[in-house]
Amino acid sequence: MVDIIFTPLVRAAKYGLLKRQAERRVAEANGSVNGFDFLQTAFLVGCGRSGTSIVGQVIGQHPRVYYFGEPYHLWATVDPAIDALNLFHKGTHLLLDERQCTAQAKRRFEVLMMLPARQAGATVMLEKTPYNACRIGYLEAIRPGSKFISLIRDGTDVARSIEHLSVDSTYRIAGKPTLNRWWGVDGSKWDALARDGAAAGYFADEVGSLDTYLAKGAYEWLVTMEEVDRWRSRLADRLLELAFRDVAANPAWALRRIGEFLRLDVMPKWTDQATRLINEARQNLGPPLVLPPRMCQRFNAFQERFGFPGRAIDEEPE
């Protein structure tokens, strides 16, 4: 009982403190913030539940990497529109492009993420927020020339994992009684995804019919895949795409590829850590994934393209 009451209060205090500290750092930053030409910027993206957390932690153990793992308070300070979970702000978006990126946001990003990496003597600033895959255009504007590591996992496994977290009521933050662990306060993340996804042309006539967490999770995976595809040609060799299945099967191989991509020395100690920490990809079993016809067809096309065994089934007409 004590934990049920105490832990949400601690979380609320922690997030509030982190946000205030970020705002203070921005306010206290004087003059021009520059001198980052030598510092690579890389974003680890992919639909949530695709293994980005453990892969990000492993990459972040390299001595030349400065790692940020899902720094929601920092992004909300960079630009309130980014806070899709509504942890700090309302009226947010999930899909963003260069049109929403302001000079103020760029400077705040430099103060909050680039400057600490430079001060630490890193050569790579790596940030991991999975749904930043839906903001590649925005990130390109905030830090031109950035690199992107896209991690992909079987869409049916991802959707079932999202469903599992969506119904988990054990994660609470005091003062936010309507928080859903996956979809945010009052379902803000889903509202943003459905609205922005439809506006971008991603199954606008079908998204309104999705009424299960399983189907909504599949839609998030599908939009993520579509967004990476949309930017693929422009990013060219600045995009490294890896299936988590392959990373888990041979972590040392994957880390060597990532090291080459980020121009990092690949040390045996680093690859040994990856082998110890990254486990075999698990298959999430559950009921069939039912999707509207066009969404189902596109979902299965991606599954086939990447050699994933799972398939969605077309919902039966009424």
Short mmCIF file of all heavy atoms in Angstrom, two decimals, residues 117-176:
data_model
loop_
_atom_site.label_atom_id
_atom_site.label_comp_id
_atom_site.label_asym_id
_atom_site.label_seq_id
_atom_site.Cartn_x
_atom_site.Cartn_y
_atom_site.Cartn_z
N ALA A 117 27.02 16.95 -24.25
CA ALA A 117 27.86 15.97 -24.96
C ALA A 117 29.23 16.56 -25.27
O ALA A 117 30.25 15.88 -25.12
CB ALA A 117 27.16 15.53 -26.24
N ARG A 118 29.24 17.82 -25.69
CA ARG A 118 30.53 18.47 -25.98
C ARG A 118 31.36 18.61 -24.71
O ARG A 118 32.57 18.33 -24.71
CB ARG A 118 30.30 19.83 -26.61
CG ARG A 118 31.59 20.52 -27.07
CD ARG A 118 31.33 21.90 -27.61
NE ARG A 118 30.98 22.84 -26.54
CZ ARG A 118 30.64 24.11 -26.76
NH1 ARG A 118 30.57 24.58 -28.00
NH2 ARG A 118 30.34 24.90 -25.75
N GLN A 119 30.72 19.02 -23.63
CA GLN A 119 31.45 19.21 -22.37
C GLN A 119 32.02 17.90 -21.84
O GLN A 119 33.04 17.90 -21.15
CB GLN A 119 30.52 19.85 -21.35
CG GLN A 119 30.14 21.29 -21.68
CD GLN A 119 29.06 21.85 -20.77
OE1 GLN A 119 28.27 21.10 -20.19
NE2 GLN A 119 29.01 23.17 -20.65
N ALA A 120 31.36 16.79 -22.17
CA ALA A 120 31.84 15.47 -21.73
C ALA A 120 32.94 14.93 -22.62
O ALA A 120 33.50 13.87 -22.33
CB ALA A 120 30.68 14.49 -21.68
N GLY A 121 33.25 15.62 -23.71
CA GLY A 121 34.29 15.16 -24.62
C GLY A 121 33.88 14.04 -25.54
O GLY A 121 34.73 13.33 -26.10
N ALA A 122 32.57 13.87 -25.74
CA ALA A 122 32.07 12.82 -26.63
C ALA A 122 32.26 13.22 -28.09
O ALA A 122 32.42 14.39 -28.41
CB ALA A 122 30.59 12.56 -26.35
N THR A 123 32.24 12.23 -28.95
CA THR A 123 32.25 12.50 -30.39
C THR A 123 30.90 12.20 -31.02
O THR A 123 30.67 12.56 -32.17
CB THR A 123 33.33 11.66 -31.10
OG1 THR A 123 33.06 10.27 -30.90
CG2 THR A 123 34.72 12.00 -30.57
N VAL A 124 30.01 11.55 -30.26
CA VAL A 124 28.65 11.22 -30.74
C VAL A 124 27.65 11.58 -29.65
O VAL A 124 27.81 11.18 -28.50
CB VAL A 124 28.51 9.73 -31.10
CG1 VAL A 124 27.06 9.42 -31.50
CG2 VAL A 124 29.46 9.35 -32.22
N MET A 125 26.64 12.34 -30.02
CA MET A 125 25.48 12.55 -29.15
C MET A 125 24.38 11.64 -29.69
O MET A 125 23.91 11.82 -30.80
CB MET A 125 25.02 14.01 -29.18
CG MET A 125 23.96 14.37 -28.11
SD MET A 125 22.32 13.64 -28.33
CE MET A 125 21.74 14.48 -29.80
N LEU A 126 24.01 10.63 -28.91
CA LEU A 126 22.98 9.67 -29.31
C LEU A 126 21.74 9.89 -28.48
O LEU A 126 21.80 9.88 -27.24
CB LEU A 126 23.48 8.24 -29.14
CG LEU A 126 22.45 7.14 -29.44
CD1 LEU A 126 22.14 7.09 -30.93
CD2 LEU A 126 22.95 5.78 -28.95
N GLU A 127 20.60 10.07 -29.14
CA GLU A 127 19.32 10.24 -28.46
C GLU A 127 18.39 9.12 -28.88
O GLU A 127 18.34 8.76 -30.05
CB GLU A 127 18.72 11.59 -28.82
CG GLU A 127 17.54 12.01 -27.94
CD GLU A 127 16.21 11.40 -28.38
OE1 GLU A 127 16.12 10.92 -29.53
OE2 GLU A 127 15.24 11.40 -27.60
N LYS A 128 17.66 8.56 -27.89
CA LYS A 128 16.73 7.48 -28.19
C LYS A 128 15.34 7.82 -27.66
O LYS A 128 15.11 7.85 -26.46
CB LYS A 128 17.22 6.17 -27.56
CG LYS A 128 16.39 4.93 -27.95
CD LYS A 128 15.19 4.66 -27.07
CE LYS A 128 15.56 4.23 -25.67
NZ LYS A 128 14.32 3.81 -24.90
N THR A 129 14.46 8.15 -28.57
CA THR A 129 13.04 8.21 -28.29
C THR A 129 12.38 7.52 -29.48
O THR A 129 12.41 8.06 -30.59
CB THR A 129 12.52 9.65 -28.16
OG1 THR A 129 13.21 10.31 -27.09
CG2 THR A 129 11.02 9.66 -27.87
N PRO A 130 11.82 6.33 -29.32
CA PRO A 130 11.37 5.54 -30.46
C PRO A 130 10.50 6.30 -31.46
O PRO A 130 10.73 6.24 -32.67
CB PRO A 130 10.62 4.38 -29.81
CG PRO A 130 11.31 4.20 -28.50
CD PRO A 130 11.64 5.59 -28.05
N TYR A 131 9.49 7.05 -30.96
CA TYR A 131 8.59 7.68 -31.92
C TYR A 131 9.16 8.93 -32.58
O TYR A 131 8.48 9.60 -33.34
CB TYR A 131 7.20 7.94 -31.33
CG TYR A 131 7.12 8.67 -30.02
CD1 TYR A 131 7.42 10.02 -29.92
CD2 TYR A 131 6.66 8.01 -28.88
CE1 TYR A 131 7.30 10.70 -28.72
CE2 TYR A 131 6.52 8.68 -27.68
CZ TYR A 131 6.85 10.03 -27.60
OH TYR A 131 6.73 10.70 -26.40
N ASN A 132 10.44 9.21 -32.34
CA ASN A 132 11.10 10.23 -33.16
C ASN A 132 11.24 9.79 -34.61
O ASN A 132 11.58 10.59 -35.48
CB ASN A 132 12.47 10.58 -32.58
CG ASN A 132 12.39 11.72 -31.57
OD1 ASN A 132 11.39 12.44 -31.51
ND2 ASN A 132 13.42 11.87 -30.76
N ALA A 133 10.96 8.51 -34.88
CA ALA A 133 10.88 8.06 -36.28
C ALA A 133 9.81 8.83 -37.02
O ALA A 133 9.87 8.95 -38.25
CB ALA A 133 10.60 6.56 -36.33
N CYS A 134 8.82 9.34 -36.30
CA CYS A 134 7.74 10.13 -36.90
C CYS A 134 8.08 11.61 -36.98
O CYS A 134 7.22 12.42 -37.33
CB CYS A 134 6.45 9.94 -36.10
SG CYS A 134 5.84 8.24 -36.08
N ARG A 135 9.34 11.96 -36.68
CA ARG A 135 9.75 13.37 -36.65
C ARG A 135 11.08 13.57 -37.36
O ARG A 135 11.84 14.48 -37.02
CB ARG A 135 9.87 13.82 -35.19
CG ARG A 135 8.55 13.75 -34.46
CD ARG A 135 8.72 13.81 -32.98
NE ARG A 135 7.40 13.89 -32.34
CZ ARG A 135 7.22 13.83 -31.03
NH1 ARG A 135 8.26 13.66 -30.23
NH2 ARG A 135 6.01 13.92 -30.52
N ILE A 136 11.36 12.72 -38.33
CA ILE A 136 12.66 12.81 -38.99
C ILE A 136 12.86 14.17 -39.64
O ILE A 136 13.95 14.76 -39.56
CB ILE A 136 12.82 11.66 -40.01
CG1 ILE A 136 12.87 10.31 -39.27
CG2 ILE A 136 14.09 11.85 -40.84
CD1 ILE A 136 12.90 9.10 -40.18
N GLY A 137 11.83 14.70 -40.28
CA GLY A 137 11.95 16.02 -40.90
C GLY A 137 12.26 17.11 -39.89
O GLY A 137 13.06 18.02 -40.13
N TYR A 138 11.62 17.02 -38.74
CA TYR A 138 11.86 17.98 -37.65
C TYR A 138 13.31 17.87 -37.16
O TYR A 138 14.00 18.88 -36.97
CB TYR A 138 10.88 17.71 -36.52
CG TYR A 138 10.94 18.70 -35.38
CD1 TYR A 138 10.07 19.79 -35.33
CD2 TYR A 138 11.84 18.53 -34.32
CE1 TYR A 138 10.11 20.69 -34.28
CE2 TYR A 138 11.89 19.43 -33.27
CZ TYR A 138 11.02 20.51 -33.25
OH TYR A 138 11.07 21.39 -32.19
N LEU A 139 13.76 16.65 -36.95
CA LEU A 139 15.12 16.43 -36.45
C LEU A 139 16.16 16.84 -37.49
O LEU A 139 17.24 17.34 -37.13
CB LEU A 139 15.30 14.97 -36.06
CG LEU A 139 14.37 14.47 -34.95
CD1 LEU A 139 14.58 12.98 -34.71
CD2 LEU A 139 14.57 15.25 -33.67
N GLU A 140 15.85 16.64 -38.75
CA GLU A 140 16.74 17.09 -39.82
C GLU A 140 16.91 18.61 -39.77
O GLU A 140 17.98 19.13 -40.06
CB GLU A 140 16.18 16.69 -41.18
CG GLU A 140 16.55 15.29 -41.62
CD GLU A 140 17.95 15.26 -42.21
OE1 GLU A 140 18.09 15.46 -43.43
OE2 GLU A 140 18.90 15.04 -41.45
N ALA A 141 15.83 19.31 -39.43
CA ALA A 141 15.88 20.77 -39.36
C ALA A 141 16.59 21.24 -38.08
O ALA A 141 17.33 22.23 -38.10
CB ALA A 141 14.48 21.35 -39.42
N ILE A 142 16.38 20.52 -36.98
CA ILE A 142 16.96 20.95 -35.72
C ILE A 142 18.46 20.65 -35.66
O ILE A 142 19.22 21.35 -35.00
CB ILE A 142 16.22 20.30 -34.53
CG1 ILE A 142 16.26 21.20 -33.31
CG2 ILE A 142 16.76 18.90 -34.20
CD1 ILE A 142 15.30 20.79 -32.21
N ARG A 143 18.89 19.62 -36.40
CA ARG A 143 20.31 19.27 -36.46
C ARG A 143 20.60 18.67 -37.83
O ARG A 143 20.63 17.44 -38.00
CB ARG A 143 20.65 18.30 -35.34
CG ARG A 143 22.15 17.96 -35.25
CD ARG A 143 23.00 19.16 -34.91
NE ARG A 143 24.41 18.80 -34.80
CZ ARG A 143 25.41 19.68 -34.79
NH1 ARG A 143 25.14 20.98 -34.86
NH2 ARG A 143 26.66 19.28 -34.69
N PRO A 144 20.82 19.51 -38.85
CA PRO A 144 21.07 19.02 -40.21
C PRO A 144 22.25 18.04 -40.26
O PRO A 144 23.25 18.21 -39.57
CB PRO A 144 21.38 20.30 -40.98
CG PRO A 144 20.70 21.38 -40.21
CD PRO A 144 20.83 20.98 -38.78
N GLY A 145 22.10 17.02 -41.08
CA GLY A 145 23.18 16.04 -41.25
C GLY A 145 23.20 14.94 -40.22
O GLY A 145 24.14 14.13 -40.19
N SER A 146 22.18 14.87 -39.38
CA SER A 146 22.14 13.82 -38.35
C SER A 146 22.06 12.43 -38.98
O SER A 146 21.59 12.27 -40.11
CB SER A 146 20.93 14.02 -37.43
OG SER A 146 21.03 15.22 -36.71
N LYS A 147 22.48 11.45 -38.21
CA LYS A 147 22.36 10.06 -38.62
C LYS A 147 21.20 9.40 -37.87
O LYS A 147 20.85 9.83 -36.75
CB LYS A 147 23.66 9.30 -38.37
CG LYS A 147 24.81 9.75 -39.26
CD LYS A 147 26.06 8.91 -39.02
CE LYS A 147 27.17 9.31 -39.98
NZ LYS A 147 28.39 8.48 -39.78
N PHE A 148 20.64 8.36 -38.47
CA PHE A 148 19.50 7.68 -37.88
C PHE A 148 19.73 6.17 -37.90
O PHE A 148 20.07 5.60 -38.94
CB PHE A 148 18.22 8.01 -38.65
CG PHE A 148 17.81 9.45 -38.52
CD1 PHE A 148 18.36 10.42 -39.34
CD2 PHE A 148 16.87 9.83 -37.56
CE1 PHE A 148 18.01 11.76 -39.21
CE2 PHE A 148 16.50 11.17 -37.44
CZ PHE A 148 17.07 12.13 -38.26
N ILE A 149 19.57 5.55 -36.73
CA ILE A 149 19.58 4.10 -36.62
C ILE A 149 18.15 3.66 -36.39
O ILE A 149 17.53 4.02 -35.39
CB ILE A 149 20.47 3.62 -35.47
CG1 ILE A 149 21.91 4.12 -35.65
CG2 ILE A 149 20.45 2.09 -35.37
CD1 ILE A 149 22.80 3.88 -34.42
N SER A 150 17.60 2.92 -37.33
CA SER A 150 16.21 2.47 -37.24
C SER A 150 16.18 0.99 -36.88
O SER A 150 16.74 0.16 -37.60
CB SER A 150 15.49 2.70 -38.58
OG SER A 150 14.19 2.17 -38.55
N LEU A 151 15.54 0.70 -35.76
CA LEU A 151 15.44 -0.69 -35.29
C LEU A 151 14.05 -1.20 -35.59
O LEU A 151 13.05 -0.54 -35.28
CB LEU A 151 15.73 -0.74 -33.80
CG LEU A 151 16.26 -2.05 -33.23
CD1 LEU A 151 17.57 -2.45 -33.89
CD2 LEU A 151 16.47 -1.91 -31.71
N ILE A 152 13.96 -2.38 -36.19
CA ILE A 152 12.68 -2.93 -36.64
C ILE A 152 12.46 -4.29 -35.99
O ILE A 152 13.38 -5.11 -35.90
CB ILE A 152 12.68 -3.10 -38.18
CG1 ILE A 152 13.05 -1.80 -38.87
CG2 ILE A 152 11.33 -3.59 -38.66
CD1 ILE A 152 13.38 -1.98 -40.32
N ARG A 153 11.23 -4.51 -35.58
CA ARG A 153 10.84 -5.79 -34.99
C ARG A 153 9.52 -6.23 -35.63
O ARG A 153 8.74 -5.40 -36.10
CB ARG A 153 10.68 -5.64 -33.47
CG ARG A 153 10.38 -6.95 -32.73
CD ARG A 153 10.20 -6.67 -31.26
NE ARG A 153 9.76 -7.86 -30.52
CZ ARG A 153 9.20 -7.83 -29.33
NH1 ARG A 153 9.00 -6.65 -28.72
NH2 ARG A 153 8.82 -8.94 -28.73
N ASP A 154 9.29 -7.52 -35.63
CA ASP A 154 8.04 -8.08 -36.16
C ASP A 154 6.85 -7.28 -35.65
O ASP A 154 6.66 -7.11 -34.45
CB ASP A 154 7.93 -9.54 -35.72
CG ASP A 154 6.73 -10.26 -36.33
OD1 ASP A 154 5.61 -9.74 -36.22
OD2 ASP A 154 6.93 -11.35 -36.90
N GLY A 155 6.03 -6.77 -36.58
CA GLY A 155 4.93 -5.89 -36.21
C GLY A 155 3.88 -6.54 -35.33
O GLY A 155 3.26 -5.86 -34.50
N THR A 156 3.64 -7.84 -35.49
CA THR A 156 2.66 -8.50 -34.63
C THR A 156 3.17 -8.60 -33.19
O THR A 156 2.41 -8.42 -32.24
CB THR A 156 2.30 -9.90 -35.17
OG1 THR A 156 3.50 -10.66 -35.33
CG2 THR A 156 1.58 -9.79 -36.50
N ASP A 157 4.47 -8.88 -33.03
CA ASP A 157 5.05 -8.91 -31.69
C ASP A 157 4.99 -7.54 -31.04
O ASP A 157 4.68 -7.40 -29.85
CB ASP A 157 6.50 -9.40 -31.75
CG ASP A 157 6.62 -10.89 -32.06
OD1 ASP A 157 5.64 -11.62 -31.82
OD2 ASP A 157 7.68 -11.30 -32.54
N VAL A 158 5.29 -6.51 -31.82
CA VAL A 158 5.26 -5.15 -31.31
C VAL A 158 3.85 -4.77 -30.87
O VAL A 158 3.63 -4.24 -29.78
CB VAL A 158 5.78 -4.15 -32.37
CG1 VAL A 158 5.48 -2.71 -31.97
CG2 VAL A 158 7.27 -4.33 -32.59
N ALA A 159 2.86 -5.04 -31.72
CA ALA A 159 1.48 -4.67 -31.41
C ALA A 159 1.00 -5.37 -30.14
O ALA A 159 0.32 -4.76 -29.30
CB ALA A 159 0.57 -5.01 -32.59
N ARG A 160 1.34 -6.63 -29.97
CA ARG A 160 0.91 -7.35 -28.76
C ARG A 160 1.62 -6.83 -27.52
O ARG A 160 1.04 -6.78 -26.43
CB ARG A 160 1.15 -8.84 -28.95
CG ARG A 160 0.15 -9.47 -29.92
CD ARG A 160 0.48 -10.90 -30.26
NE ARG A 160 -0.50 -11.44 -31.21
CZ ARG A 160 -0.21 -12.32 -32.14
NH1 ARG A 160 1.04 -12.78 -32.26
NH2 ARG A 160 -1.14 -12.76 -32.96
N SER A 161 2.87 -6.43 -27.67
CA SER A 161 3.59 -5.85 -26.54
C SER A 161 2.99 -4.50 -26.16
O SER A 161 2.85 -4.18 -24.97
CB SER A 161 5.07 -5.70 -26.89
OG SER A 161 5.81 -5.26 -25.77
N ILE A 162 2.62 -3.70 -27.15
CA ILE A 162 1.96 -2.42 -26.88
C ILE A 162 0.63 -2.65 -26.18
O ILE A 162 0.27 -1.94 -25.23
CB ILE A 162 1.77 -1.63 -28.19
CG1 ILE A 162 3.12 -1.11 -28.70
CG2 ILE A 162 0.79 -0.46 -28.00
CD1 ILE A 162 3.06 -0.43 -30.05
N GLU A 163 -0.12 -3.65 -26.65
CA GLU A 163 -1.39 -3.96 -26.02
C GLU A 163 -1.19 -4.29 -24.55
O GLU A 163 -1.96 -3.84 -23.67
CB GLU A 163 -2.05 -5.15 -26.74
CG GLU A 163 -3.37 -5.58 -26.11
CD GLU A 163 -3.90 -6.87 -26.72
OE1 GLU A 163 -3.09 -7.79 -26.99
OE2 GLU A 163 -5.12 -6.96 -26.93
N HIS A 164 -0.16 -5.06 -24.25
CA HIS A 164 0.11 -5.47 -22.87
C HIS A 164 0.37 -4.24 -21.99
O HIS A 164 -0.18 -4.14 -20.88
CB HIS A 164 1.32 -6.41 -22.84
CG HIS A 164 1.75 -6.81 -21.46
ND1 HIS A 164 1.05 -7.70 -20.69
CD2 HIS A 164 2.80 -6.40 -20.70
CE1 HIS A 164 1.65 -7.85 -19.52
NE2 HIS A 164 2.71 -7.07 -19.50
N LEU A 165 1.18 -3.30 -22.46
CA LEU A 165 1.48 -2.11 -21.66
C LEU A 165 0.29 -1.17 -21.58
O LEU A 165 0.13 -0.43 -20.61
CB LEU A 165 2.70 -1.38 -22.22
CG LEU A 165 4.06 -2.04 -21.98
CD1 LEU A 165 5.17 -1.10 -22.42
CD2 LEU A 165 4.25 -2.41 -20.51
N SER A 166 -0.53 -1.17 -22.62
CA SER A 166 -1.69 -0.27 -22.65
C SER A 166 -2.69 -0.58 -21.54
O SER A 166 -3.44 0.31 -21.12
CB SER A 166 -2.39 -0.35 -24.01
OG SER A 166 -1.52 0.06 -25.05
N VAL A 167 -2.74 -1.82 -21.10
CA VAL A 167 -3.70 -2.21 -20.06
C VAL A 167 -3.04 -2.33 -18.68
O VAL A 167 -3.68 -2.73 -17.72
CB VAL A 167 -4.41 -3.54 -20.41
CG1 VAL A 167 -5.21 -3.38 -21.70
CG2 VAL A 167 -3.42 -4.68 -20.54
N ASP A 168 -1.76 -1.95 -18.61
CA ASP A 168 -1.03 -2.02 -17.35
C ASP A 168 -1.37 -0.78 -16.51
O ASP A 168 -0.98 0.33 -16.85
CB ASP A 168 0.47 -2.10 -17.62
CG ASP A 168 1.30 -2.12 -16.34
OD1 ASP A 168 0.70 -2.28 -15.25
OD2 ASP A 168 2.53 -1.97 -16.42
N SER A 169 -2.08 -0.99 -15.42
CA SER A 169 -2.51 0.13 -14.58
C SER A 169 -1.59 0.35 -13.38
O SER A 169 -1.91 1.16 -12.49
CB SER A 169 -3.94 -0.11 -14.08
OG SER A 169 -4.00 -1.30 -13.30
N THR A 170 -0.45 -0.33 -13.34
CA THR A 170 0.43 -0.22 -12.17
C THR A 170 1.34 1.00 -12.24
O THR A 170 1.91 1.40 -11.23
CB THR A 170 1.30 -1.48 -12.03
OG1 THR A 170 2.15 -1.61 -13.19
CG2 THR A 170 0.43 -2.72 -11.90
N TYR A 171 1.51 1.58 -13.45
CA TYR A 171 2.40 2.74 -13.58
C TYR A 171 1.57 4.01 -13.44
O TYR A 171 0.73 4.32 -14.28
CB TYR A 171 3.11 2.72 -14.94
CG TYR A 171 4.19 3.78 -15.06
CD1 TYR A 171 5.50 3.50 -14.68
CD2 TYR A 171 3.90 5.06 -15.54
CE1 TYR A 171 6.49 4.46 -14.78
CE2 TYR A 171 4.88 6.03 -15.64
CZ TYR A 171 6.18 5.73 -15.25
OH TYR A 171 7.14 6.69 -15.34
N ARG A 172 1.82 4.76 -12.36
CA ARG A 172 1.04 5.96 -12.09
C ARG A 172 1.96 7.14 -11.76
O ARG A 172 3.06 6.96 -11.25
CB ARG A 172 0.07 5.74 -10.93
CG ARG A 172 -0.98 4.66 -11.17
CD ARG A 172 -2.00 4.67 -10.05
NE ARG A 172 -3.05 3.67 -10.28
CZ ARG A 172 -3.05 2.47 -9.74
NH1 ARG A 172 -2.06 2.11 -8.95
NH2 ARG A 172 -4.03 1.62 -9.97
N ILE A 173 1.46 8.33 -12.06
CA ILE A 173 2.14 9.56 -11.68
C ILE A 173 1.12 10.42 -10.94
O ILE A 173 0.02 10.66 -11.46
CB ILE A 173 2.69 10.32 -12.91
CG1 ILE A 173 3.72 9.47 -13.64
CG2 ILE A 173 3.32 11.65 -12.48
CD1 ILE A 173 4.23 10.10 -14.92
N ALA A 174 1.46 10.86 -9.76
CA ALA A 174 0.53 11.66 -8.96
C ALA A 174 0.10 12.90 -9.73
O ALA A 174 0.92 13.56 -10.39
CB ALA A 174 1.19 12.06 -7.65
N GLY A 175 -1.18 13.21 -9.66
CA GLY A 175 -1.71 14.38 -10.35
C GLY A 175 -2.14 14.11 -11.77
O GLY A 175 -2.65 15.02 -12.45
N LYS A 176 -1.92 12.88 -12.25
CA LYS A 176 -2.31 12.52 -13.62
C LYS A 176 -3.15 11.24 -13.58
O LYS A 176 -2.70 10.17 -14.01
CB LYS A 176 -1.08 12.34 -14.51
CG LYS A 176 -0.21 13.61 -14.58
CD LYS A 176 0.92 13.49 -15.55
CE LYS A 176 1.80 14.73 -15.50
NZ LYS A 176 1.09 15.97 -15.80
#
